[in-house]
PDB file of all heavy atoms in Angstrom:
ATOM      1  N   TYR A 180     -22.571   9.741 103.432  1.00 98.00           N
ATOM      2  CA  TYR A 180     -21.707   8.986 104.404  1.00 98.00           C
ATOM      3  C   TYR A 180     -20.501   9.870 104.782  1.00 98.00           C
ATOM      4  O   TYR A 180     -19.647  10.144 103.901  1.00 98.00           O
ATOM      5  CB  TYR A 180     -21.274   7.646 103.765  1.00 98.00           C
ATOM      6  CG  TYR A 180     -22.461   6.816 103.402  1.00 98.00           C
ATOM      7  CD1 TYR A 180     -23.038   6.850 102.111  1.00 98.00           C
ATOM      8  CD2 TYR A 180     -23.113   6.002 104.323  1.00 98.00           C
ATOM      9  CE1 TYR A 180     -24.103   6.066 101.765  1.00 98.00           C
ATOM     10  CE2 TYR A 180     -24.190   5.219 103.996  1.00 98.00           C
ATOM     11  CZ  TYR A 180     -24.676   5.272 102.766  1.00 98.00           C
ATOM     12  OH  TYR A 180     -25.811   4.535 102.445  1.00 98.00           O
ATOM     13  N   SER A 195     -20.108  12.215 101.020  1.00 98.00           N
ATOM     14  CA  SER A 195     -20.947  12.359  99.862  1.00 98.00           C
ATOM     15  C   SER A 195     -21.940  11.157  99.784  1.00 98.00           C
ATOM     16  O   SER A 195     -21.752  10.163 100.509  1.00 98.00           O
ATOM     17  CB  SER A 195     -20.188  12.429  98.571  1.00 98.00           C
ATOM     18  OG  SER A 195     -19.404  11.219  98.328  1.00 98.00           O
ATOM     19  N   THR A 196     -22.834  11.214  98.854  1.00 97.00           N
ATOM     20  CA  THR A 196     -23.638  10.063  98.512  1.00 97.00           C
ATOM     21  C   THR A 196     -22.742   9.129  97.694  1.00 97.00           C
ATOM     22  O   THR A 196     -21.692   9.520  97.273  1.00 97.00           O
ATOM     23  CB  THR A 196     -24.827  10.501  97.655  1.00 97.00           C
ATOM     24  OG1 THR A 196     -24.345  11.254  96.512  1.00 97.00           O
ATOM     25  CG2 THR A 196     -25.794  11.384  98.518  1.00 97.00           C
ATOM     26  N   PRO A 197     -23.205   7.887  97.485  1.00 95.00           N
ATOM     27  CA  PRO A 197     -22.467   7.007  96.576  1.00 95.00           C
ATOM     28  C   PRO A 197     -22.339   7.609  95.222  1.00 95.00           C
ATOM     29  O   PRO A 197     -23.129   8.536  94.861  1.00 95.00           O
ATOM     30  CB  PRO A 197     -23.303   5.750  96.579  1.00 95.00           C
ATOM     31  CG  PRO A 197     -24.067   5.746  97.853  1.00 95.00           C
ATOM     32  CD  PRO A 197     -24.319   7.215  98.123  1.00 95.00           C
ATOM     33  N   ALA A 198     -21.400   7.190  94.398  1.00 91.00           N
ATOM     34  CA  ALA A 198     -21.146   7.765  93.055  1.00 91.00           C
ATOM     35  C   ALA A 198     -22.389   7.707  92.178  1.00 91.00           C
ATOM     36  O   ALA A 198     -22.648   8.633  91.394  1.00 91.00           O
ATOM     37  CB  ALA A 198     -19.972   7.100  92.418  1.00 91.00           C
ATOM     38  N   ASP A 199     -23.194   6.594  92.334  1.00 93.00           N
ATOM     39  CA  ASP A 199     -24.371   6.508  91.461  1.00 93.00           C
ATOM     40  C   ASP A 199     -25.602   7.209  92.078  1.00 93.00           C
ATOM     41  O   ASP A 199     -26.682   7.180  91.552  1.00 93.00           O
ATOM     42  CB  ASP A 199     -24.714   5.027  91.191  1.00 93.00           C
ATOM     43  CG  ASP A 199     -24.842   4.205  92.519  1.00 93.00           C
ATOM     44  OD1 ASP A 199     -24.616   4.740  93.599  1.00 93.00           O
ATOM     45  OD2 ASP A 199     -25.213   3.059  92.442  1.00 93.00           O
ATOM     46  N   GLY A 200     -25.402   7.871  93.181  1.00 95.00           N
ATOM     47  CA  GLY A 200     -26.414   8.682  93.809  1.00 95.00           C
ATOM     48  C   GLY A 200     -27.715   7.991  94.155  1.00 95.00           C
ATOM     49  O   GLY A 200     -27.713   6.802  94.522  1.00 95.00           O
ATOM     50  N   PHE A 201     -28.805   8.768  94.138  1.00 96.00           N
ATOM     51  CA  PHE A 201     -30.119   8.252  94.540  1.00 96.00           C
ATOM     52  C   PHE A 201     -31.116   8.687  93.422  1.00 96.00           C
ATOM     53  O   PHE A 201     -30.918   9.707  92.760  1.00 96.00           O
ATOM     54  CB  PHE A 201     -30.543   8.795  95.850  1.00 96.00           C
ATOM     55  CG  PHE A 201     -29.778   8.191  96.994  1.00 96.00           C
ATOM     56  CD1 PHE A 201     -28.581   8.756  97.421  1.00 96.00           C
ATOM     57  CD2 PHE A 201     -30.254   7.049  97.623  1.00 96.00           C
ATOM     58  CE1 PHE A 201     -27.886   8.176  98.458  1.00 96.00           C
ATOM     59  CE2 PHE A 201     -29.534   6.454  98.674  1.00 96.00           C
ATOM     60  CZ  PHE A 201     -28.330   7.004  99.086  1.00 96.00           C
ATOM     61  N   TYR A 210     -30.841  10.619  88.392  1.00 97.00           N
ATOM     62  CA  TYR A 210     -30.344  10.439  89.694  1.00 97.00           C
ATOM     63  C   TYR A 210     -29.724  11.742  90.206  1.00 97.00           C
ATOM     64  O   TYR A 210     -29.417  12.660  89.407  1.00 97.00           O
ATOM     65  CB  TYR A 210     -29.319   9.279  89.778  1.00 97.00           C
ATOM     66  CG  TYR A 210     -27.998   9.567  89.057  1.00 97.00           C
ATOM     67  CD1 TYR A 210     -26.871  10.074  89.665  1.00 97.00           C
ATOM     68  CD2 TYR A 210     -27.904   9.356  87.674  1.00 97.00           C
ATOM     69  CE1 TYR A 210     -25.706  10.327  89.044  1.00 97.00           C
ATOM     70  CE2 TYR A 210     -26.742   9.570  87.011  1.00 97.00           C
ATOM     71  CZ  TYR A 210     -25.632  10.012  87.659  1.00 97.00           C
ATOM     72  OH  TYR A 210     -24.442  10.274  86.948  1.00 97.00           O
ATOM     73  N   CYS A 211     -29.490  11.868  91.502  1.00 97.00           N
ATOM     74  CA  CYS A 211     -28.808  13.004  92.079  1.00 97.00           C
ATOM     75  C   CYS A 211     -27.738  12.593  93.019  1.00 97.00           C
ATOM     76  O   CYS A 211     -27.736  11.506  93.597  1.00 97.00           O
ATOM     77  CB  CYS A 211     -29.873  13.892  92.778  1.00 97.00           C
ATOM     78  SG  CYS A 211     -30.585  13.136  94.283  1.00 97.00           S
ATOM     79  N   THR A 212     -26.782  13.536  93.242  1.00 97.00           N
ATOM     80  CA  THR A 212     -25.689  13.292  94.215  1.00 97.00           C
ATOM     81  C   THR A 212     -25.632  14.512  95.149  1.00 97.00           C
ATOM     82  O   THR A 212     -26.040  15.609  94.784  1.00 97.00           O
ATOM     83  CB  THR A 212     -24.349  13.061  93.494  1.00 97.00           C
ATOM     84  OG1 THR A 212     -24.026  14.283  92.771  1.00 97.00           O
ATOM     85  CG2 THR A 212     -24.372  11.903  92.493  1.00 97.00           C
ATOM     86  N   TYR A 230     -28.389  14.485  87.462  1.00 96.00           N
ATOM     87  CA  TYR A 230     -27.837  14.012  86.205  1.00 96.00           C
ATOM     88  C   TYR A 230     -28.870  13.199  85.432  1.00 96.00           C
ATOM     89  O   TYR A 230     -29.686  12.481  86.100  1.00 96.00           O
ATOM     90  CB  TYR A 230     -26.584  13.179  86.442  1.00 96.00           C
ATOM     91  CG  TYR A 230     -25.498  13.935  87.147  1.00 96.00           C
ATOM     92  CD1 TYR A 230     -25.446  13.961  88.541  1.00 96.00           C
ATOM     93  CD2 TYR A 230     -24.508  14.630  86.493  1.00 96.00           C
ATOM     94  CE1 TYR A 230     -24.376  14.652  89.233  1.00 96.00           C
ATOM     95  CE2 TYR A 230     -23.470  15.276  87.089  1.00 96.00           C
ATOM     96  CZ  TYR A 230     -23.410  15.302  88.482  1.00 96.00           C
ATOM     97  OH  TYR A 230     -22.432  15.987  89.151  1.00 96.00           O
TER      98      TYR A 230
END
Side-chain angles (χ1 to χ4, degrees):
Y180 301 95
S195 64
T196 54
D199 55 354
F201 289 88
Y210 66 95
C211 67
T212 63
Y230 299 88

